[in-house]
Amino acid sequence: MRTRNRHLAEHKLISVEVLRDQMAELREILERWLYQAAGHRDGQIDQIRAQGAERA
């Protein structure tokens, strides 16, 4: 039988406030990553367009 890794198994209670705060922090990190990835993508698109204009 395979055992599953349950990281909160030893805790009977979790703090909803702590969970909320951690999720808010995670959201900020993911939003920052999303904006950085979109900026990188936009930069690549601009570069590709500029290269196309140079060839025309």
Side-chain angles (χ1 to χ4, degrees):
M1 181 175 179
R2 199 168 83 175
T3 60
R4 295 180 189 257
N5 183 8
R6 296 181 60 191
H7 66 282
L8 294 175
E10 67 277 3
H11 299 284
K12 301 230 186 270
L13 299 173
I14 62 170
S15 170
V16 175
E17 291 175 347
V18 171
L19 180 60
R20 178 200 62 211
D21 294 345
Q22 292 296 311
M23 292 299 105
E25 184 177 340
L26 177 59
R27 180 181 178 156
E28 290 174 12
I29 292 168
L30 292 174
E31 284 178 348
R32 194 169 41 243
W33 178 83
L34 176 65
Y35 292 129
Q36 289 174 350
H40 180 70
R41 180 204 61 211
D42 292 345
Q44 287 182 321
I45 290 170
D46 291 344
Q47 186 178 18
I48 291 168
R49 287 180 180 156
Q51 290 172 353
E54 290 173 0
R55 293 181 186 155

